[in-house]
Amino acid sequence: MEQKIPTMAEMAAEGKEPEILFWVGCAGSFDERAQKITRDICKILQHVGISYAVLGAEESCTGDPAKRAGNEFLFQMQAMTNIEVLNGYNVKKIVTGCPHCFNTIANEYPGLGGKYEVIHHTQLIQGLINDGKLKAEGGESFKGRRITFHDPCYLGRGNNVYEAPRAALEILDTELVEMKRCKSNGLCCGAGGGQMFKEPEPGKKDINMERMVDVLETKAQIVASACPFCMTMMSDGVKHMDKDQEIKVLDIAEITARANGL
Amino acid sequence: MIGQAIFIIILLAAVYLFGKNVAKVRRNILLGRDTNRSDDPARRWKVMAKVALGQTKMVKRPVAAIMHFFIYIGFIIINLEVLEIMIDGIFGSHRIFSKPLGSLYGLLIGSFEILAILVLVSCVVFLARRNILRLKRFSGIEMTTWPKSDANYILTIEILLMLAFLTMNAADYKLQLLHFGHYIEAGSFPVSALTGPLLPAGANALATIERVCWWFHIVGILAFLNYLPYSKHFHILLAFPNTWYSNLHKKGEFTNMASVTNEVKAMLDPSFVPEATEVSRFGAKDVTDLTWKNLMEAYTCTECGRCTSVCPANITGKLLSPRKIMMDTRDRLTEVGNNIDKHGKDYTDDKALLDNYITREELWACTTCNACVEACPVNINPLEIITEMRRYLVMEESQAPASLNNMFGNMENNGAPWKYSQADRFNWAEKS
């Protein structure tokens, strides 16, 4: 990274409070593919000059996978510990790099004492575009390229965010093609509800391979997503179909960063 | 006079029996745990008006939506006619609304006839979709003999009722033209005018046909009313309260368990004194561990299978079917209710919703993607039941799949679902 990533601890030591906390999430912190997206989100924040910070090693899992898998104890332990840290830093606004973190902090933390304004990174990007702070210039051109967007369940159906990621693509003058199952009808990638961490139950095929049928039907060159779990599942699906040369799976943040030469 | 007396007895018996069975369903629903679904009534009325009355969620499948709309609107409008039939039956009158309503009466009767034809055609098409075209949505492991027969019974009864209604009208219309007896000229009959020639010409034969069809129609309706509490067709009534009590939160939000909050707070802060709460099981093993809303939803389900047809697990051949979750919940609740009727309210059998009805394999196949919740035309939430049962499996039995237990362990020890050290969490910033 060209610029140092600021942490809440450092800022607090200097007596400063950032405008927004970037909640990176476990995948964004540890998964190599997702790490790249994390850095792109930071680049976007730096590019538009928003004062932000991350928790760094003070961040911990939101507890989402535990909650969906039925372990409410573990979820609430995680949640309350995180809320203590967030409230300790007087956090007001949070942007997340993951729809699962976004959903959990926005909807399930308030009841446990963690009340913040929470947005997903696609909403941040949409807001910046609307305010004229973010354009698509100085970088790679996506003009006329066939892109399809895979709706993450916890962004789409879970929270009714369908337009923000599409707004980030529309500004690129791409050829946006929708899959047969999209928006509120979108098909899950197969990783939610704790499935990311276990083998699927016996069946005819894996869910991400079912999703590949929709992807191939669009003849898209790029599958855009906005979730680290979907990223893993879609990338695996494309590889499994031997299509990783023709079809690229990219996060909305990566596409935005590239289009702006970040 | 005898006719009137018989009619009143049948009517009272039908209403009494229906009331008794509805009370039983209500009692069964209230076996569930309490949950507050009465906040923000203004919004609840709106949801009910949109989803139940306006059927906005049906539109996603236009063919079924249009035909279902015919049957629905036919059911509501033709009920005006049923009201007249009831009054005629009690007082021995004939077409009592014709005089006070004047020319409007003709318009009404005419529209009932057209609706009756639309209902009839829709029911025939629905039967064909189930039995000849064999749409995939109407099959599945949970679609055993009874659910399939139930659907066919409903459609057949509706066809018979409409046929009786139209035949009654046709006979009446012909008798009106013959100026026979009390058959005053009333109403307009766009369908009967066409079907009339199919009936015999003799006035006595026509009067017999008219009476037989009149009795068949009204007794059929009362019998059908009493079939509702035993059938998936109960949705015509429960759809309304069920949507009124909808979950108004975002679909992604799962409930935070207050009982767990108390324990976690006590663990994190030893000085915390929890409020006294009822000691009960974490999550759901049996239907009585679910909320009354979950149980109401089970009775509301009409087994249309929209949930299952969009479930990623089911589509890819896993055992899970959200429709089965709802049907199992209802069937087990009915069993629990029958046990109470037979053996008193403290009786427990050795069965439960878990294992005897819903298997663990089904529960662990769910991706919590909310597709089933989104698809349900009457806002039923199978995901809530699945989550409650997972909670029981994990927190009461410690029976999560081994890989999920590893994930829990990682989260507990390193604050991440994978086996990475918490200290390395910020390493991404060093790479480029």
Side-chain angles (χ1 to χ4, degrees), chain A residues 159-191:
Chain A
N159 288 283
N160 303 321
V161 180
Y162 298 110
E163 290 315 314
R166 288 174 172 82
L169 294 174
E170 274 154 16
I171 196 180
L172 306 177
D173 209 5
T174 60
E175 197 191 328
L176 185 59
V177 277
E178 294 292 354
M179 283 183 263
K180 180 175 71 187
R181 290 176 275 200
C182 67
K183 298 183 185 171
S184 63
N185 292 329
L187 183 76
C188 175
C189 71

Side-chain angles (χ1 to χ4, degrees), chain B residues 217-335:
Chain B
H217 180 241
I218 191 62
V219 173
I221 283 176
L222 294 174
F224 197 37
L225 179 74
N226 276 288
Y227 179 62
L228 293 185
Y230 299 97
S231 160
K232 77 191 193 86
H233 208 48
F234 210 28
H235 81 284
I236 64 172
L237 300 177
L238 279 179
F240 295 90
N242 196 64
T243 47
W244 199 88
Y245 292 117
S246 287
N247 172 23
L248 298 181
H249 296 261
K250 295 262 170 59
K251 287 193 192 70
E253 177 181 346
F254 286 25
T255 53
N256 289 330
M257 295 170 70
S259 49
V260 170
T261 310
N262 278 335
E263 299 216 7
V264 172
K265 276 192 181 156
M267 271 162 84
L268 294 176
D269 173 13
S271 65
F272 174 79
V273 183
E275 299 162 44
T277 46
E278 226 184 300
V279 184
S280 60
R281 183 182 270 167
F282 290 119
K285 180 188 185 188
D286 207 347
V287 284
T288 46
D289 302 322
L290 296 166
T291 69
W292 61 262
K293 181 59 176 44
N294 298 138
L295 303 183
M296 176 184 274
E297 291 180 350
Y299 277 118
T300 307
C301 176
T302 194
E303 305 164 8
C304 73
R306 281 168 175 73
C307 51
T308 297
S309 74
V310 294
C311 171
N314 190 276
I315 290 171
T316 54
K318 278 83 174 174
L319 207 53
L320 175 64
S321 162
R323 170 172 55 190
K324 179 174 178 290
I325 300 288
M326 300 318 298
M327 291 168 69
D328 284 345
T329 304
R330 180 201 58 205
D331 292 347
R332 170 60 185 157
L333 181 56
T334 309
E335 185 177 55

Side-chain angles (χ1 to χ4, degrees), chain B residues 9-29:
Chain B
I9 290 167
I10 293 177
L11 181 64
L12 290 177
V15 170
Y16 170 76
L17 201 63
F18 179 68
K20 209 178 136 190
N21 279 323
V22 167
K24 208 179 268 184
V25 169
R26 185 171 179 275
R27 178 208 60 193
N28 287 357
I29 288 173

Side-chain angles (χ1 to χ4, degrees), chain A residues 119-134:
Chain A
I119 55 170
H120 179 256
H121 71 263
T122 56
Q123 292 173 305
L124 173 83
I125 292 170
Q126 182 192 33
L128 292 170
I129 291 171
N130 289 347
D131 294 348
K133 289 180 185 157
L134 195 58

Side-chain angles (χ1 to χ4, degrees), chain B residues 7 11 18 22 28 57 71 109 129 150 154 201 230 242 251 270 306 330 332 339 354 365 383 385-386 398 405 420:
Chain B
F7 181 80
L11 181 64
F18 179 68
V22 167
N28 287 357
K57 289 179 89 179
I71 299 177
I109 295 292
R129 280 158 61 97
D150 187 19
I154 294 161
Y230 299 97
N242 196 64
K251 287 193 192 70
R306 281 168 175 73
R330 180 201 58 205
R332 170 60 185 157
N339 282 339
L354 179 70
L383 175 53
I385 297 178
I386 294 171
S398 306
N405 279 331
Y420 293 112

Side-chain angles (χ1 to χ4, degrees), chain A residues 173-229:
Chain A
D173 209 5
T174 60
E175 197 191 328
L176 185 59
V177 277
E178 294 292 354
M179 283 183 263
K180 180 175 71 187
R181 290 176 275 200
C182 67
K183 298 183 185 171
S184 63
N185 292 329
L187 183 76
C188 175
C189 71
Q195 301 294 342
M196 185 72 189
F197 309 98
K198 61 185 266 300
E199 284 304 311
E201 272 55 40
K204 286 187 304 221
K205 61 162 134 173
D206 286 341
I207 294 171
N208 59 340
M209 297 317 292
E210 170 75 16
R211 190 51 161 164
M212 281 305 119
V213 179
D214 296 351
V215 169
L216 294 184
E217 215 175 68
T218 64
K219 299 196 167 56
Q221 300 154 290
I222 296 170
V223 180
S225 195
C227 169
F229 292 170

Side-chain angles (χ1 to χ4, degrees), chain A residues 61-73:
Chain A
C61 180
T62 60
D64 162 82
K67 189 174 183 86
R68 310 303 140 193
N71 197 334
E72 183 73 7
F73 271 107

